[in-house]
Amino acid sequence: MKRLDTGLWYLNSMLKGGFKEGYNYEINGYPWDIVKDHIHYIIPNLAIQGMVTILYGQYFEGLDPYRIARYCRIYGIEYSKIKDRIRLARGFKGEDYVDGVKRLERIEGILILVDPYLHAYMTGKKHLFGAIASQIYRLKRLGKTIILFNRLLANHKPLGGEFHRHIADYMVSMVYSEGYLYVELIKALDLPNKNITIEYEPGYPPLKKKIQHTILEWIR
């Protein structure tokens, strides 16, 4: 089965080579800026491998094309080869996101869902969590390749309620603190749960392996 290179050694290592086509992945993290870093790191690496359609769930922010171009240079990817392979749509409120995910049923290629539950959470419409998750589950049943970027709250619980956790085939969680990124594979169909802590500078993809060992590694 074909795997899609994430461009990040620690994710490739955790996921045995990258994202498998036809599966549903969630990458969540705290703070949100760290998740945004990873959106920008991963997109150019996926776009060089196929068409990418992004449904972004916010009024503001979004993709920064200058960051994408910068990371292309870092990864050795020609920006001209990927710029026409990236399509972006927005969901301006929770109801819009439900409709946006429905429209993705007709789209081929890699589907990236960004912050799908934010508006429902911010407006107190948590009943929409289930509607959004149900539509994502429909995409999964159609065999789509889905990478969902979600945010963790300060208590490190992801948005979306309980149902959305059950529809992810693979779930990676990351938390940044004081120069280190703690990355954990907390759900996987066919892989053991694992974690790693690496040295991390926000905004700069860690291309070299700089691992922070913990004292637990020395206890037997």
Side-chain angles (χ1 to χ4, degrees):
M1 179 175 292
K2 182 180 178 182
R3 290 184 183 267
L4 301 167
D5 181 9
T6 71
L8 298 166
W9 65 267
Y10 47 98
L11 286 184
N12 284 344
S13 175
M14 281 198 161
L15 299 173
K16 290 292 185 181
F19 302 123
K20 289 192 295 185
E21 290 188 324
Y23 287 83
N24 182 2
Y25 291 81
E26 176 172 325
I27 298 174
N28 56 51
Y30 181 86
W32 178 244
D33 283 350
I34 298 303
V35 182
K36 286 196 300 183
D37 281 350
H38 283 75
I39 295 169
H40 285 83
Y41 301 156
I42 290 171
I43 282 175
N45 286 288
L46 292 182
I48 200 66
Q49 299 170 80
M51 291 295 299
V52 174
T53 301
I54 305 156
L55 181 58
Y56 212 108
Q58 291 192 22
Y59 291 109
F60 47 90
E61 291 189 354
L63 288 184
D64 182 343
Y66 296 101
R67 287 185 72 182
I68 294 288
R70 175 183 164 216
Y71 295 142
C72 282
R73 291 193 295 272
I74 291 173
Y75 291 122
I77 295 170
E78 289 186 36
Y79 180 70
S80 61
K81 290 185 177 180
I82 71 163
K83 65 178 183 178
D84 294 328
R85 293 187 179 187
I86 300 172
R87 296 174 289 196
L88 176 66
R90 284 188 180 274
F92 292 109
K93 55 185 179 179
E95 294 86 351
D96 290 345
Y97 210 94
V98 175
D99 292 337
V101 177
K102 285 181 182 178
R103 289 193 294 272
L104 293 179
E105 293 180 9
R106 303 188 297 271
I107 302 297
E108 298 299 323
I110 304 159
L111 306 179
I112 295 181
L113 308 180
V114 180
D115 228 357
Y117 305 106
L118 177 65
H119 289 306
Y121 173 77
M122 295 295 290
T123 57
K125 297 180 179 180
K126 294 186 180 180
H127 63 278
L128 290 174
F129 285 174
I132 295 167
S134 293
Q135 288 304 319
I136 295 171
Y137 183 68
R138 284 176 59 87
L139 291 180
K140 173 182 172 177
R141 292 292 299 271
L142 291 171
K144 304 291 187 181
T145 304
I146 306 163
I147 297 100
L148 188 155
F149 292 94
N150 197 10
R151 65 176 67 216
L152 295 179
L153 300 175
N155 61 8
H156 296 172
K157 290 186 177 181
L159 294 186
E162 291 300 320
F163 178 55
H164 96 279
R165 296 173 65 89
H166 297 294
I167 64 175
D169 297 317
Y170 299 85
M171 185 177 291
V172 177
S173 186
M174 53 184 66
V175 176
Y176 172 77
S177 179
E178 297 181 350
Y180 295 101
L181 187 68
Y182 176 79
V183 187
E184 182 177 12
L185 178 65
I186 59 177
K187 180 181 179 183
L189 288 176
D190 52 1
L191 298 170
N193 291 5
K194 61 183 77 172
N195 62 73
I196 187 173
T197 302
I198 63 172
E199 294 183 30
Y200 185 84
E201 183 177 356
Y204 294 87
L207 303 180
K208 297 180 180 179
K209 295 186 179 182
K210 294 183 179 181
I211 301 173
Q212 175 69 12
H213 296 282
T214 66
I215 193 169
L216 292 178
E217 295 179 48
W218 307 101
I219 298 175
R220 295 291 185 267

